[in-house]
């Protein structure tokens, strides 16, 4: 017991033993400054410094943007930006998917890769009407005959009503003779109009250019979207005077006739007219002579 007390006093004495720390000039041995210290003072100073350093580091990490550089931590602004970027990327994916479908439709219009069953305009696909309440009305024979007559007259009408037909007309894109007529059997969904090289090619109606590029098979191609679901395509041009997105008027020059592309044998215009995604015979609505 006495030995333990002696060791304790000895340890306490060591802690409280005073030392002097002197800083001297190495050349002149002149004393610059000095101060007294004990082991206890050193331990206390080191401990307080460590505590202060830990506290300062914790404050910097918890209340400053420095915590964003530590894995697993992020600010509310970064989370909001990440969420907005996720929503934007999802919207862009939808836009890209819609654009891909749109471009594939234009590609099919350019290459003629179409399903003949869908292009048979002489057949009407009937689908059952569901979830619609209606009252059965007895039809008379005269009414049925009148309906059939009107249906036959409007079967190939590319305009919705007769009033629209008065206010809407199609200009001939170029004057000339037709060397290859429209033929569904031969998968030639257009008319080839023979013309001289560099003749002006005009838009058949008001619209907006949705495609104006070079293709290997059909050369310089321009496609215009019009009202009433109409689409007109002009191929094998020597040059184009309009770009994608331009708004054109009916009768305005959009290209010059030529002989570009692999699928051509001379200067002519390959002209296609589409109505709601289906090709129609342009010669039935436009006088090329």
């Amino acid at each position: 017991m006495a030995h333990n007390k002696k060791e304790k006093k000895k340890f306490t004495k060591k802690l409280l033993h005073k030392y002097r720390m002197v800083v001297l000039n190495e050349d002149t041995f002149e004393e610059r400054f000095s101060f007294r210290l004990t082991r206890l003072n050193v331990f206390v100073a080191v401990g307080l410094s460590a505590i202060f350093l830990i506290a300062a580091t914790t404050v910097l990490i918890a209340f400053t943007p420095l915590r964003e550089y530590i894995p697993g931590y992020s600010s509310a602004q970064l989370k909001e930006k990440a969420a907005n970027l996720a929503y934007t990327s999802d919207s862009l994916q939808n836009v890209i998917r819609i654009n891909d479908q749109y471009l594939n439709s234009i590609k099919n219009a350019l290459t003629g890769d179409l399903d003949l069953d869908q292009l048979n305009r002489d057949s009407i696909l009937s689908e059952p009407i569901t979830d619609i309440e209606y009252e059965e009305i007895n039809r008379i024979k005269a009414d049925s005959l009148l309906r059939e007559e009107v249906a036959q007259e409007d079967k190939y009408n590319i305009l919705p009503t007769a009033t629209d037909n008065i206010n809407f007309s199609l200009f001939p894109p170029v004057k000339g003779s037709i060397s290859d007529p429209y033929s569904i059997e031969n998968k030639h969904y257009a008319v080839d109009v023979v013309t001289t090289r560099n003749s002006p090619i005009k838009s058949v109606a008001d619209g907006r250019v949705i495609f104006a590029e070079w293709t290997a098979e059909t050369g310089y191609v321009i496609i215009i979207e019009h009202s009433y679901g109409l689409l007109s395509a002009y191929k094998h041009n020597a040059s184009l005077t309009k770009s994608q997105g331009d708004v054109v008027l009916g009768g305005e020059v959009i290209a010059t006739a030529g002989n570009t592309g692999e699928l051509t044998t001379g200067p002519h215009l390959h002209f296609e007219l589409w109505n709601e995604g289906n090709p129609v015979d342009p010669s039935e609505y436009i006088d090329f002579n």
Side-chain angles (χ1 to χ4, degrees), residues 101-118:
Q101 295 176 355
Y102 185 67
L103 292 176
N104 287 334
S105 300
I106 295 179
K107 180 180 178 182
N108 293 335
L110 294 174
T111 59
D113 185 13
L114 301 169
D115 188 357
L116 291 178
D117 294 335
Q118 297 179 355

Side-chain angles (χ1 to χ4, degrees), residues 13-253:
K13 185 177 180 180
K14 287 182 179 181
L15 288 177
L16 298 177
H17 187 75
K18 297 181 179 180
Y19 296 90
R20 179 182 292 274
M21 186 175 181
V22 180
V23 178
L24 300 176
N25 190 325
E26 185 178 2
D27 296 330
T28 63
F29 296 101
E30 179 185 358
E31 182 179 343
R32 292 297 184 182
F33 61 88
S34 64
F35 52 88
R36 295 178 182 180
L37 51 83
T38 62
R39 286 189 176 97
L40 181 60
N41 293 337
V42 173
F43 293 152
V44 171
V46 172
L48 291 177
S49 298
I51 294 173
F52 175 78
L53 182 61
I54 294 173
T57 304
T58 304
V59 171
L60 288 175
I61 293 177
F63 301 102
T64 64
L66 290 177
R67 68 177 181 271
E68 299 176 9
Y69 296 96
I70 300 177
Y73 290 88
S74 60
S75 64
Q77 294 180 351
L78 286 178
K79 292 181 180 179
E80 183 179 359
K81 289 181 180 179
N84 292 334
L85 289 176
Y87 295 147
T88 303
S89 62
D90 183 67
S91 301
L92 290 177
Q93 289 177 356
N94 292 332
V95 172
I96 292 174
R97 184 163 55 252
I98 294 174
N99 287 339
D100 288 340
Q101 295 176 355
Y102 185 67
L103 292 176
N104 287 334
S105 300
I106 295 179
K107 180 180 178 182
N108 293 335
L110 294 174
T111 59
D113 185 13
L114 301 169
D115 188 357
L116 291 178
D117 294 335
Q118 297 179 355
L119 298 178
N120 187 5
R121 301 177 64 83
D122 294 331
S123 63
I124 300 177
L125 300 178
S126 60
E127 298 182 356
I129 301 176
T130 58
D131 299 332
I132 299 179
E133 296 182 0
Y134 61 93
E135 181 180 356
E136 184 66 25
I137 300 177
N138 296 326
R139 297 182 179 181
I140 61 176
K141 184 177 181 180
D143 180 66
S144 299
L145 293 176
L146 179 60
R147 289 175 181 270
E148 181 67 21
E149 181 180 356
V150 173
Q152 291 297 328
E153 291 178 354
D154 293 340
K155 193 173 183 180
Y156 296 97
N157 186 15
I158 62 176
L159 299 177
T161 63
T163 304
D164 294 329
N165 196 11
I166 295 175
N167 299 327
F168 187 86
S169 59
L170 298 178
F171 295 89
V174 68
K175 292 290 186 178
S177 59
I178 298 177
S179 60
D180 193 358
Y182 176 91
S183 175
I184 294 181
E185 292 76 9
N186 298 330
K187 294 184 178 181
H188 188 253
Y189 310 110
V191 292
D192 290 343
V193 183
V194 178
T195 184
T196 58
R197 190 183 300 272
N198 295 328
S199 296
I201 303 299
K202 303 177 182 179
S203 173
V204 296
D206 299 348
R208 181 183 297 274
V209 178
I210 61 174
F211 183 86
E213 293 291 343
W214 164 271
T215 62
E217 294 182 350
T218 55
Y220 285 106
V221 178
I222 184 169
I223 301 177
I224 301 177
E225 183 180 19
H226 309 284
S227 304
Y228 308 111
L230 292 180
L231 202 73
S232 60
Y234 314 76
K235 303 179 180 180
H236 301 299
N237 300 293
S239 63
L240 305 178
T241 60
K242 299 295 180 180
S243 303
Q244 182 175 345
D246 291 346
V247 177
V248 297
L249 301 176
E252 185 176 358
V253 177

